[in-house]
Amino acid sequence: MPPTLIPRETLFGNPTFTRPGLSPDGRWLAYIAPLDGVLNVWLRAAEGGDAEPLTNDTGRGIRAYAWTYDREHVLYVQDRDGDENWHVYAVRITDRAVRDLTPADGVQAHLVAVERNTPDRILVALNQRDPALHDVYEVTLSTGESQVALENPGDALAFVADASLQVRCVAAQTADGGWDIRLRGPEDGEWKSVHTVGPEDEAGPLSFSEDGAGLYIVTSKDANAKQVALLDAASGSLRVLAGREDVDCGDVVFHPVSRELQAVSFDRHRTEWEVLDESLRADLEALKAVNDGDLGIGSRTDDDSRWIVEYTRDIGSVGYYLYHRTEKRAEFLFSARPELDRYTLAPMSAVDIRSRDGLTLPSYLTLPVGSNGKNLPMVLNVHGGPWARDQWGYDPEAQWFANRGYACLQVNFRSSEGFGKAFTHAGDREWGRKMLDDLIDAVDWAVERGIADPARVAIFGGSYGGYAVLCGLAFQPRVFCCGVDIVGPSNLLTFLNSIPPYWEVMRKMLDDRVGRAVEDEDMLKERSPLFHVENIVKPLLIAQGANDPRVPQAESDQIVAAMESSGKPVEYMVFEDEGHGFARPENRLKFYAAAEAFLAKYLGGRSE
């Protein structure tokens, strides 16, 4: 007998709790939770007691925040209806007064640095002077006044400040598509290139050491996978601290005051921690015994007596704990979606799939609870990016598919990040070709093993995954019985010609990995589903945010128009107050209701 239907609201509505964080002094615990149906920041005393809302956003909700060191403010970012022109806001703890620290319209802001040595000042990056470039501004929290701290040299994408709030490091994209890490002295000296890699590699700064003499970086130079290394600011010499050949480094843990690198995570199928500071080993051993999920380490008090930790599981939402370090005791705080505990969730299994040309594709398979795992309708759920990856753990879409009676297969196809540069670059200029072949090989794998019914395989995805949906239906019409595309580009030429101005500094990387809009016009046209609409014979659902700056609405409009003029089956949903994805719960629920009915019609699964 199949398990009880999990309501879509439980899967795709707002979480009950998420992102808890301790204030540096250990006095407060903040977290994000709904207020009148909109995600906001809440605050309570760290030792317990009732929580109260700290913010009162009534729009798309708040999804991240940061503590300051003045003990008076919490910072958060918000855009307008998904336009990604983020503003940085400060809310005062005592009276909940909110100020927009970056009030200019049509300008994108990023938080660069908050330092304990400069409690009344922070750094933000703004593309106010030039939409293509972000400059760094110093903002005084008590007055809101700002001044330019660093004008962008013309190619910088990332900025790192030292413990004194001096911007002493920039990372720039080079003319050949590589990366250049540059340093300068604490007295605003000349910029000096200290670590440069070509387009086949990746490199980026993490943090200065407390004394400013060293810079922690991530780099794949002279290795297949990204490693964590310490770069000597004076000599430029590099010392690798943690790295593996088959998988990139993941999360890094620094001491909250000394800035010493203490641990690094690696994740091929599941998260593993490499301890670099022996003083943490007993803590990680104690935490391993608390929960069988994958451990994540969040905020820590400055005296390092208390941590926020989280555990990711596949058959339950993320669980958050307050860890008392002296006692080696973890106190349960809450889970992100406690209402899920009433339902039976499906385990997610890690599998390796072989591509036709010999690559190993780390993948995840989720099967309906109670099924025999044979001859099932299946959804191939394609991740976005494409320079991202699928990971093990609770995935609301995977659980939704399995609960409705479908096998769910998630594939880290070539170009996915996390598995070394050879794997990532195997997808260069292979959009719509070998990257699609990997997905077809995964479907064939599931069919050959009797898992998937070949007549009932759907393809589903957002962003790059949405493009993959369109490619699947246009280039492999025999494989899929239907597709669901969320904010996916349909024409690589118009997509590349409409990127946001602040992506222009990454143009060479896009040229190398996707194609050149002028020189490769024929290739890009060949790989654009818009020009192959005549091949699309299976039903298609498209959903789009009207304010999407990454994949403009025109990308969906044009393929819908082409299909409708050719009498092709297409359903189209546009959300006027959304961008690249659907943040408002009412919009998410409307989309997933439509997608559920669509999939049930063509796959024969259950529907709420």
Side-chain angles (χ1 to χ4, degrees):
M1 181 175 178
T4 302
L5 279 176
I6 305 173
R8 288 188 298 272
E9 170 73 32
T10 301
L11 292 164
F12 301 115
N14 282 330
T16 305
F17 307 99
T18 189
R19 294 187 181 276
L22 291 163
S23 61
D25 62 5
R27 181 181 178 188
W28 301 106
L29 173 72
Y31 57 84
I32 291 176
L35 174 64
D36 297 328
V38 179
L39 291 178
N40 274 277
V41 182
W42 291 64
L43 192 70
R44 67 162 228 207
E47 63 267 21
D50 294 334
E52 295 183 355
L54 184 61
T55 62
N56 187 25
D57 183 80
T58 58
R60 298 177 83 232
I62 298 170
R63 283 163 174 73
Y65 64 90
W67 289 99
T68 65
Y69 289 95
D70 67 355
R71 303 191 177 195
E72 295 185 23
H73 295 92
V74 170
L75 307 174
Y76 67 93
V77 297
Q78 185 57 284
D79 69 350
R80 182 175 299 166
D81 292 337
D83 64 5
E84 297 189 10
N85 286 324
W86 306 101
H87 289 228
V88 177
Y89 295 89
V91 54
R92 194 161 52 212
I93 292 173
T94 53
D95 60 4
R96 279 48 172 175
V98 175
R99 285 177 299 139
D100 186 351
L101 300 178
T102 58
D105 289 335
V107 174
Q108 186 186 71
H110 297 295
L111 187 61
V112 173
V114 179
E115 292 292 342
R116 67 177 42 79
N117 296 330
T118 57
D120 193 36
R121 293 177 290 131
I122 64 171
L123 295 178
V124 298
L126 300 170
N127 62 342
Q128 184 169 320
R129 176 181 59 87
D130 182 341
L133 298 170
H134 288 76
D135 303 317
V136 180
Y137 289 74
E138 182 183 286
V139 180
T140 302
L141 290 172
S142 57
T143 66
E145 295 176 349
S146 66
Q147 61 182 3
V148 177
L150 174 70
E151 186 172 298
N152 196 306
D155 56 2
L157 280 167
F159 311 91
V160 181
D162 64 14
S164 300
L165 211 68
Q166 299 297 309
V167 180
R168 293 184 46 216
C169 172
V170 298
Q173 191 100 63
T174 58
D176 67 354
W179 289 93
D180 185 25
I181 297 177
R182 304 171 195 150
L183 294 179
R184 66 179 179 180
E187 304 302 324
D188 295 338
E190 291 280 329
W191 288 105
K192 180 175 66 172
S193 177
V194 293
H195 189 73
T196 303
V197 300
E200 71 281 358
D201 282 302
E202 290 190 44
L206 294 173
S207 171
F208 278 99
S209 60
E210 177 64 17
D211 60 7
L215 177 73
Y216 294 100
I217 71 168
V218 168
T219 180
S220 62
K221 193 171 187 176
D222 300 323
N224 176 54
K226 287 185 282 189
Q227 305 172 314
V228 182
L230 181 62
L231 188 134
D232 186 276
S235 68
S237 63
L238 198 69
R239 179 162 57 94
V240 174
L241 302 177
R244 299 185 186 179
E245 268 300 300
D246 63 330
V247 62
D248 294 327
C249 59
D251 292 336
V252 293
V253 173
F254 293 99
H255 188 277
V257 177
S258 73
R259 296 171 176 250
E260 179 187 359
L261 180 65
Q262 296 183 298
V264 178
S265 73
F266 296 88
D267 181 353
R268 188 174 184 280
H269 282 311
R270 296 279 301 268
T271 299
E272 300 175 3
W273 284 95
E274 180 175 336
V275 176
L276 304 178
D277 179 353
E278 286 300 320
S279 69
L280 252 66
R281 189 171 298 278
D283 298 297
L284 295 188
E285 289 297 325
L287 289 167
K288 191 185 299 183
V290 172
N291 190 297
D292 61 0
D294 286 0
L295 172 67
I297 300 174
S299 64
R300 297 155 70 178
T301 57
D302 279 355
D303 65 7
D304 212 18
S305 65
R306 285 169 291 170
W307 302 358
I308 296 292
V309 298
E310 62 182 55
Y311 293 91
T312 299
R313 299 182 301 142
D314 55 344
I315 53 172
S317 64
V318 176
Y320 299 101
Y321 291 74
L322 177 61
Y323 176 60
H324 301 269
R325 195 174 180 212
T326 302
E327 305 143 49
K328 301 288 188 288
R329 176 174 61 87
E331 171 191 348
F332 179 72
L333 291 173
F334 39 68
S335 62
R337 296 179 183 271
E339 61 274 21
L340 280 173
D341 294 342
R342 301 199 299 267
Y343 302 97
T344 302
L345 301 188
M348 177 183 284
S349 301
V351 295
D352 284 327
I353 297 172
R354 199 77 165 168
S355 74
R356 66 190 68 181
D357 58 352
L359 287 182
T360 299
L361 311 175
S363 305
Y364 299 98
L365 179 66
T366 307
L367 298 175
V369 172
S371 76
N372 62 4
K374 296 298 182 183
N375 201 39
L376 295 166
M378 187 177 83
V379 179
L380 181 70
N381 192 4
V382 188
H383 71 70
W387 308 295
R389 62 161 295 178
D390 284 312
Q391 293 178 289
W392 181 88
Y394 170 73
D395 183 310
E397 289 181 345
Q399 294 300 330
W400 173 52
F401 293 136
N403 184 256
R404 270 46 176 177
Y406 314 129
C408 174
L409 184 59
Q410 296 166 277
V411 183
N412 285 307
F413 47 88
R414 72 190 69 206
S415 262
S416 301
E417 288 204 333
F419 309 99
K421 64 189 181 188
F423 190 84
T424 298
H425 288 294
D428 288 356
R429 302 169 72 83
E430 293 292 346
W431 286 45
R433 288 298 177 266
K434 290 184 179 179
M435 292 164 68
L436 178 60
D437 290 345
D438 289 346
L439 299 177
I440 303 305
D441 292 346
V443 172
D444 290 344
W445 173 91
V447 169
E448 289 166 4
R449 281 155 181 76
I451 298 167
D453 174 358
R456 294 184 296 162
V457 178
I459 183 168
F460 181 106
S463 193
Y464 173 84
Y467 165 78
V469 169
L470 300 177
C471 287
L473 296 188
F475 303 141
Q476 295 286 345
R478 69 167 182 85
V479 177
F480 302 104
C481 68
C482 64
V484 180
D485 154 34
I486 310 160
V487 298
S490 64
N491 180 351
L492 295 181
L493 291 166
T494 52
F495 167 65
L496 290 170
N497 285 324
S498 62
I499 63 172
Y502 41 83
W503 282 15
E504 278 298 332
V505 288
M506 298 185 292
R507 174 68 73 175
K508 185 59 169 65
M509 184 195 76
L510 293 173
D511 288 347
D512 291 344
R513 294 190 178 189
V514 185
R516 298 164 295 179
V518 177
E519 296 90 335
D520 298 318
E521 180 178 353
D522 290 344
M523 179 194 79
L524 293 171
K525 191 172 180 179
E526 178 193 357
R527 299 178 184 191
S528 296
L530 177 65
F531 301 106
H532 304 274
V533 165
E534 70 278 4
N535 296 331
I536 301 179
V537 295
K538 302 298 175 58
L540 173 62
L541 169 64
I542 295 177
Q544 177 70 45
N547 304 309
D548 191 340
R550 307 185 196 188
V551 180
Q553 183 181 332
E555 289 297 316
S556 293
D557 286 349
Q558 59 193 356
I559 195 165
V560 169
M563 292 187 67
E564 288 179 341
S565 67
S566 301
K568 301 288 184 178
V570 62
E571 299 178 31
Y572 190 28
M573 306 176 75
V574 178
F575 296 95
E576 298 295 335
D577 51 0
E578 295 286 7
H580 197 64
F582 311 138
R584 296 177 186 267
E586 62 271 24
N587 291 336
R588 287 200 305 275
L589 292 172
K590 183 178 180 180
F591 163 72
Y592 283 110
E596 182 170 298
F598 179 87
L599 292 171
K601 181 177 181 180
Y602 298 108
L603 291 182
R606 303 193 299 167
S607 183
E608 190 183 337

